[in-house]
Amino acid sequence: MNIQIYVGKKNPDALKAERFFKERRIPYQMMDLKKHRLGKKELETFVRAVGAKALVDREGKKALERPVAHMEDERYIMEALLEDPAALRTPIVRNGSRVTVGADEETWKKWLETGA
């Protein structure tokens, strides 16, 4: 299991993800999107797993001020997210090609059960 947790800012869901894996002694790597520039291949992996629309933060007044919050075309969403990773909904938890967005403990438990 190779867990990476992508976070843009500390939020309750990011803390839940970190706590989930820490409590189970599962090694993980924190990827701070302010320091780690998201690559096109990484973003494409996320989009294949959950779709571009699921990656966009559409909650809160500040998030809705971003043009990407109102886009529907996946190609434009991907371009906008590469330019402005702060518009991503976090945490994005990656286990190889498997990806979750937000706090999805049920899926993480399934990963542990299958050992994948």
Side-chain angles (χ1 to χ4, degrees), residues 5-9 30-39 42 46 85-92:
I5 304 172
Y6 294 79
V7 295
K9 57 186 178 290
M30 292 295 289
M31 306 297 284
D32 185 346
L33 292 169
K34 293 177 186 168
K35 297 176 186 173
H36 171 80
R37 188 82 178 152
L38 190 64
E42 286 172 304
F46 300 161
L88 285 163
R89 184 172 156 226
T90 59
I92 299 170

Side-chain angles (χ1 to χ4, degrees), residues 45-55 99-101:
T45 299
F46 300 161
V47 170
R48 272 193 304 276
V50 298
K53 292 178 188 176
L55 294 171
V99 176
T100 62
V101 180

Side-chain angles (χ1 to χ4, degrees), residues 44-87:
E44 287 172 352
T45 299
F46 300 161
V47 170
R48 272 193 304 276
V50 298
K53 292 178 188 176
L55 294 171
V56 178
D57 183 5
R58 299 175 196 262
E59 295 179 15
K61 186 178 178 183
K62 192 168 188 167
L64 291 174
E65 290 175 359
R66 292 187 169 97
V68 70
H70 307 283
M71 292 179 183
E72 295 296 323
D73 187 299
E74 288 201 356
R75 184 181 42 197
Y76 295 126
I77 291 172
M78 286 181 62
E79 289 175 16
L81 292 176
L82 283 172
E83 288 181 26
D84 183 14

Side-chain angles (χ1 to χ4, degrees), residues 87-107:
L88 285 163
R89 184 172 156 226
T90 59
I92 299 170
V93 180
R94 178 179 179 189
N95 179 18
S97 63
R98 296 178 173 145
V99 176
T100 62
V101 180
D104 190 350
E105 292 187 21
E106 292 304 313
T107 301

